[in-house]
Amino acid sequence: MDRLDRKIITLLSERARISLKEMAGVVSLASPTVAERMKRLEERGFIRGYTAVVDARKLGFPLQALVRINPLPGTLHEVQRMIEETPEFVECDRVTGEDCFVGRLYIRTIEDLDAILDRFHDKARTNTAIVKGQPVARRLPPLGFGDGT
């Protein structure tokens, strides 16, 4: 991946719907060349998909919670299945340390959160934090390779 590929990926992460013509102008390449580079980045797995960023609040989910989950002995796989089957979990990571999972939920009310967590009560210990703000939204990691770009 070279500097132009990194620029294409950065542009796509900021504006997934940018036109090929506009992207070509920004990176100073012909549209067919940009299309070929994008195709190659997709084939090599650098670009896995294109998505829309949706405002969960506008969909009726004003609250977010981060939940650390530590399954009780012998329940790891069952707890993972429960997380996967709970649609309010919009993402979940399996982590090292005291807890096994850290998940993000979108919820309408604290009562909804309680109902979700109650289902895990006999299978895992949980520790929950309500998200007040997000000073850093999901973003790309630094794409430079130590060459100043």
Side-chain angles (χ1 to χ4, degrees):
M1 181 180 353
D2 64 13
R3 179 185 60 79
L4 291 172
D5 289 338
R6 291 193 304 269
K7 182 68 175 173
I8 289 168
I9 288 173
T10 299
L11 284 167
L12 288 171
S13 74
E14 294 168 354
R15 296 174 41 208
R17 292 178 50 120
I18 188 172
S19 71
L20 278 176
K21 181 179 178 182
E22 187 176 355
M23 184 180 299
V26 172
V27 298
S28 302
L29 293 173
S31 294
T33 304
V34 170
E36 182 57 37
R37 281 180 172 261
M38 288 174 58
K39 180 179 176 187
R40 193 170 59 244
L41 288 166
E42 290 170 4
E43 289 170 349
R44 294 173 53 204
F46 287 100
I47 298 173
R48 294 189 339 208
Y50 302 85
T51 189
V53 178
V54 177
D55 187 337
R57 283 183 234 136
K58 295 214 184 270
L59 296 175
F61 295 91
L63 299 173
Q64 288 183 55
L66 299 177
V67 181
R68 296 184 356 232
I69 303 169
N70 186 349
L72 298 175
T75 66
L76 178 74
H77 297 294
E78 186 175 358
V79 168
Q80 181 171 330
R81 181 188 52 75
M82 291 170 66
I83 293 167
E84 291 168 354
E85 292 175 353
T86 303
E88 290 85 358
F89 276 102
V90 296
E91 62 184 2
C92 183
D93 296 312
R94 187 158 177 200
V95 298
T96 62
E98 194 173 313
D99 304 308
C100 290
F101 301 101
V102 177
R104 180 180 300 268
L105 293 99
Y106 287 133
I107 49 177
R108 289 184 167 89
T109 66
I110 296 298
E111 291 78 19
D112 290 344
L113 176 63
D114 287 340
I116 292 166
L117 296 179
D118 284 349
R119 294 196 306 257
F120 289 85
H121 179 72
D122 62 340
K123 306 276 188 258
R125 290 189 312 273
T126 62
N127 187 305
T128 305
I130 299 298
V131 176
K132 291 174 36 176
Q134 193 174 33
V136 178
R138 183 177 298 270
R139 62 183 176 191
L140 287 176
L143 295 182
F145 292 121
D147 61 0
T149 59

